[in-house]
Amino acid sequence: MDTELILKVYPYFLEAAVVTIELSILTIVLGLICGALGATARLSRFKALRFLGAAYVSFFRGTPALIQLFLLYFGGPQIGIQLDAFEAGVIGLGVNIGAYMTETMRGAIIAIDKGQGEAARTLGLSREQAFRKVVLPQALRLMIRPLGVNINAQIKGTALVSAISVVELTYTAQRYIGSTYKPFEMFFLAGVLYLVIITITGKGVAYLDRKVRLPA
Amino acid sequence: MSQAFVEIRHAQKSYGQLEVLKDISLNVDRGQIVAIIGPSGSGKSTLLRAINDLDPLTGGEIWLDGVQVNKALPHRQYEKHINQMRQEIGMVFQHFNLFPHLTVRENVTMAPKLLKKISDKEANALAEEQLDHVGMLERIDYYPAQLSGGQKQRVAIARALAMKPKLMLFDEATSALDPELVEEVNLVMKKLAQEHMTMIIVTHEMDFAASVCDRVLFMDQGVVVEEGPPEQVFKNPTQERTRNFLRKHLEGAK
């Protein structure tokens, strides 16, 4: 392995890693928003909203994220959506991971014992109050770990935007292969940087989970 | 027309073809304690849960202190009305249903703070008073998971009482408890009886029903088969079905 080469190019990879981190943060925030809206729709009292939520989830989980990204970035202009590659990447991947987060959040909410909501309602709380004060705080604790799994997948998933030429880690690795002819070193370096980002994020999720855990 | 404190008039409930409550009527006076006994599937829990509209009836009326609980109102108005009514009807569940993310204190103060807009200071005083009443004051800052079943149920009773209800419903409050923990909950319920709280109790414990209740209802297959004072229903049941049930129950207890 050419360690000298790695040391020489690695500052450029760090810059690219910053873009990967930006993409991760933005897509995850957008995903959480879409997930909360999606879960609300899927658990709604109204049939039309439930249908809308289910359609959202089934489309975005049922087709490759890469196709969704191409559809938005290359197909978008045809229907009047003009986005640069970075914007398309954030929106495409954020809405995509939001579908997975919808199911994660919905799962955590319906896992809360029905007796919890009932007990709150018998005290006189409204549906909305019972949800906000009793069901949601418990569901939030329950969804931290599985959302962590979604987040982990999403960080790695940002690599897809290399296909629409966003200069992030994977794209940078490919570009440097073009000039160095050292694919092993370039992909190895990119892989290590992904691992660092994911390990730190994983620790953060574990910390948050521990912090809100109830005493047993 | 003079009205009883709690009136159930021609309660009827079906799930499609299955009729689980068949025209049940029941009056309970202020301060009275009524036990509902019967085999599982008899409809006794359904009847109890209909009183605060947790399981809405498909026919009939529920009245509490001159107000109809299950009034026919447009959705939004009904929600407001039923939330108000439920503040006056405390309920205790078989599985306690304490809020695990809140301390004992917060379990008791959450609803009064939210619905009656009392201050933190008043809420704390209320929690201390209610928890003292059920002998749980020293556990006020524990979480439910740190309590035994009997302690959880006592906290659940305090939580219901903190809303100052006019009526308390107990849905097999001691059925999920280890035998040695039943007594502490029964003692709290007896204390409430002495304070003349109006109570409707669904139970499997015949001894407790006999010692505390003014009246016992035996239900089977969605109807009230027999009702009367405990000494009559337990010692001299007039109906064959009651006798069978009690015999089986006594055998089960041995």
Side-chain angles (χ1 to χ4, degrees):
Chain A
M1 196 155 67
D2 192 340
T3 36
E4 217 168 291
L5 178 64
I6 288 179
L7 287 172
K8 214 165 90 192
V9 297
Y10 124 91
Y12 304 104
F13 276 65
L14 273 188
E15 266 175 54
V18 171
V19 178
T20 289
I21 292 169
E22 283 169 4
L23 274 167
S24 299
I25 292 172
L26 291 171
T27 51
I28 288 161
V29 169
L30 181 59
L32 288 169
I33 294 168
C34 290
L37 291 173
T40 308
R42 289 217 60 184
L43 295 169
S44 167
R45 276 185 295 147
F46 304 106
K47 208 175 166 186
L49 278 179
R50 288 202 300 275
F51 175 81
L52 220 62
Y56 166 56
V57 168
S58 88
F59 175 76
F60 284 97
R61 292 203 314 180
T63 54
L66 193 59
I67 293 287
Q68 294 161 23
L69 211 53
F70 284 166
L71 194 65
L72 182 66
Y73 183 61
F74 296 118
Q78 250 177 281
I79 53 167
I81 302 171
Q82 295 280 358
L83 297 169
D84 70 35
F86 187 86
E87 291 165 351
V90 168
I91 293 171
L93 293 183
V95 174
N96 173 271
I97 199 67
Y100 291 87
M101 288 177 165
T102 293
E103 288 304 90
T104 302
M105 292 180 187
R106 187 181 74 104
I109 291 164
I110 59 179
I112 303 303
D113 181 48
K114 232 177 97 232
Q116 289 292 310
E118 278 187 356
R121 296 305 306 275
T122 58
L123 289 165
L125 272 68
S126 68
R127 266 174 71 101
E128 189 268 328
Q129 287 170 325
F131 181 75
R132 192 161 42 83
K133 291 284 188 179
V134 173
V135 177
L136 190 60
Q138 296 180 53
L140 284 174
R141 288 179 166 86
L142 216 53
M143 64 179 79
I144 290 174
R145 290 258 170 197
L147 280 177
V149 174
N150 294 148
I151 287 169
N152 176 303
Q154 180 51 38
I155 294 170
K156 291 176 288 191
T158 58
L160 284 177
V161 299
S162 63
I164 55 171
S165 325
V166 178
V167 187
E168 42 67 77
L169 255 182
T170 303
Y171 186 85
T172 301
Q174 286 169 334
R175 205 169 62 174
Y176 275 82
I177 291 163
S179 53
T180 62
Y181 304 103
K182 291 278 168 83
F184 185 85
E185 281 81 355
M186 297 304 107
F187 283 135
F188 181 82
L189 179 54
V192 167
L193 290 172
Y194 277 114
L195 185 64
V196 169
I197 298 169
I198 288 200
T199 305
I200 292 169
T201 314
K203 294 241 183 270
V205 170
Y207 171 77
L208 194 63
D209 184 63
R210 263 200 316 279
K211 209 180 151 189
V212 299
R213 197 174 296 166
L214 298 165
Chain B
M1 190 177 72
S2 79
Q3 225 182 12
F5 190 59
V6 181
E7 270 196 48
I8 299 172
R9 298 183 192 159
H10 307 293
Q12 194 273 339
K13 167 117 188 150
S14 9
Y15 295 100
Q17 290 292 309
L18 183 70
E19 204 178 12
V20 290
L21 297 177
K22 302 170 186 162
D23 191 26
I24 291 181
S25 292
L26 166 71
N27 289 351
V28 182
D29 290 330
R30 198 186 289 266
Q32 257 197 344
I33 297 152
V34 174
I36 306 175
I37 60 168
S40 49
S42 59
K44 55 193 194 306
S45 278
T46 309
L47 179 65
L48 195 77
R49 290 164 57 89
I51 294 173
N52 62 2
D53 206 46
L54 222 45
D55 276 343
L57 292 176
T58 39
E61 296 176 359
I62 310 279
W63 290 76
L64 171 66
D65 202 11
V67 183
Q68 188 179 347
V69 176
N70 59 346
K71 222 188 271 185
L73 288 169
H75 179 75
R76 269 173 193 283
Q77 268 171 281
Y78 184 72
E79 280 293 305
K80 260 188 127 154
H81 163 77
I82 195 67
N83 293 337
Q84 197 60 45
M85 290 306 297
R86 282 177 178 153
Q87 294 189 29
E88 299 180 348
I89 307 172
M91 188 165 203
V92 175
F93 299 87
Q94 182 178 359
H95 296 289
F96 331 122
N97 298 356
L98 286 180
F99 307 131
H101 60 301
L102 302 178
T103 63
V104 166
R105 180 198 306 271
E106 291 162 341
N107 264 274
V108 176
T109 58
M110 192 257 278
K113 272 165 86 168
L114 196 62
L115 303 172
K116 297 188 169 172
K117 313 285 179 210
I118 61 173
S119 69
D120 283 358
K121 206 177 150 202
E122 287 170 302
N124 277 326
L126 178 69
E128 281 161 22
E129 176 200 343
Q130 294 302 338
L131 288 166
D132 191 33
H133 197 222
V134 299
M136 288 297 298
L137 187 55
E138 67 275 29
R139 296 289 153 101
I140 191 163
D141 290 317
Y142 283 54
Y143 279 90
Q146 300 167 312
L147 306 178
S148 72
Q151 292 175 329
K152 282 181 196 167
Q153 197 59 297
R154 281 147 66 197
V155 172
I157 293 171
R159 175 177 71 178
L161 291 174
M163 289 304 287
K164 312 275 182 196
K166 293 176 176 173
L167 166 68
M168 285 286 287
L169 308 174
F170 292 85
D171 191 5
E172 301 197 22
T174 55
S175 298
L177 296 177
D178 291 335
E180 73 270 20
L181 302 176
V182 169
E183 196 49 31
E184 58 185 276
V185 175
N186 281 346
L187 282 173
V188 169
M189 290 168 70
K190 279 182 184 165
K191 200 167 162 188
L192 288 179
Q194 281 155 13
E195 293 159 6
H196 305 293
M197 173 60 82
T198 313
M199 300 196 265
I200 303 177
I201 301 168
V202 166
T203 185
H204 284 297
E205 278 187 83
M206 305 307 152
D207 291 339
F208 179 73
S211 65
V212 176
C213 299
D214 301 297
R215 207 141 47 95
V216 177
L217 250 71
F218 171 65
M219 278 181 70
D220 193 15
Q221 296 181 345
V223 295
V224 176
V225 176
E226 181 156 5
E227 76 167 289
E231 49 274 23
Q232 183 211 309
V233 175
F234 289 128
K235 300 267 162 54
N236 299 302
T238 59
Q239 301 295 314
E240 184 59 33
R241 273 201 273 178
T242 319
R243 282 196 286 273
N244 276 336
F245 172 74
L246 290 171
R247 193 177 323 117
K248 273 190 199 143
H249 214 277
L250 282 175
E251 279 165 14
K254 280 171 198 166

